[in-house]
Amino acid sequence: MESPVISLLVLAGIAIFLILRLKSVLGTREGFEKPRMPENSGRQNQPDLEVIEGGPDNDITDHVPEGSVQSQALAAMKRVEPGFGVSDFVQGARGAYEMILMGFENGDLNDIQPFLAEDVFDSFVQAVAEREDQGLSIEANFIGVRETTLLNATFDEATGLSEITMRFVCEMTSVVHDRDGNVVEGDAKTIKKQKDTWVFARAMGGDDPNWQLVATDA
């Protein structure tokens, strides 16, 4: 039989061998070590975000197709005059349309003269004069603008002259009276739809911020 001492020594040798093997595989820890986090920790539920620079200008693409000739002209206007906003212009043109249209219908041209090019103002004066010579007067009631569309835009880089073509569709009532007050045309109770295409112009970067009506095509 083997001696118990020899058996213990053999077992002790095997235990020491196993400990040394484990240390060589696992390494040693000294002090406090934070457990390793998975490489994708904190990012598993976060999609990759891509930053896009130089994207479309919604102030322009809300009114004309991206990349169109009109959009390029509007972008050139904004480069010359960064404070210019297409949406602001469209809103202002809508208000100017009502003011100018009703000024013409009622024959009150003095208040709208600053917003008209000289030749347009002269044509308005002539039309109102002819109306008065015939003893006619108009009773008009503006109901509202139903459609406002930016049709075209051009920009001359050499002169800075900008032109924007707008199309308006409005509803109004209009009655024409003769000098005796008789109705010769229209009906105060009948709402009519009127369509107008107007061209506004302005020199970008200039001191005068007002756009002028330079052409009409009803």
Side-chain angles (χ1 to χ4, degrees), residues 82-127:
F84 169 66
V86 181
S87 296
D88 292 337
F89 167 83
V90 171
Q91 187 66 27
R94 183 187 181 104
Y97 172 70
E98 177 182 354
M99 178 183 65
I100 294 172
L101 179 62
M102 295 309 295
F104 173 74
E105 293 287 336
N106 297 324
D108 299 328
L109 302 182
N110 290 334
D111 291 340
I112 63 175
Q113 183 176 4
F115 306 99
L116 306 177
E118 185 176 353
D119 58 340
V120 174
F121 177 72
D122 290 342
S123 67
F124 279 20
V125 170
Q126 182 178 355

Side-chain angles (χ1 to χ4, degrees), residues 74-171:
L74 293 170
M77 296 178 198
K78 299 185 76 168
R79 285 194 296 269
V80 172
E81 191 172 303
F84 169 66
V86 181
S87 296
D88 292 337
F89 167 83
V90 171
Q91 187 66 27
R94 183 187 181 104
Y97 172 70
E98 177 182 354
M99 178 183 65
I100 294 172
L101 179 62
M102 295 309 295
F104 173 74
E105 293 287 336
N106 297 324
D108 299 328
L109 302 182
N110 290 334
D111 291 340
I112 63 175
Q113 183 176 4
F115 306 99
L116 306 177
E118 185 176 353
D119 58 340
V120 174
F121 177 72
D122 290 342
S123 67
F124 279 20
V125 170
Q126 182 178 355
V128 171
E130 291 177 355
R131 200 164 63 198
E132 292 176 349
D133 290 342
Q134 297 173 21
L136 301 178
S137 62
I138 297 178
E139 180 185 354
N141 179 35
F142 191 87
I143 296 175
V145 179
R146 297 302 177 225
E147 296 179 25
T148 306
T149 306
L150 197 159
L151 294 181
N152 195 22
T154 62
F155 178 70
D156 188 333
E157 294 186 2
T159 63
L161 181 64
S162 301
E163 290 190 352
I164 299 180
T165 304
M166 299 293 301
R167 182 164 180 79
F168 303 100
V169 178
C170 77
E171 290 181 350

Side-chain angles (χ1 to χ4, degrees), residues 63-80:
H63 303 282
V64 296
E66 182 182 358
S68 63
V69 175
Q70 294 86 350
S71 70
Q72 294 173 15
L74 293 170
M77 296 178 198
K78 299 185 76 168
R79 285 194 296 269
V80 172

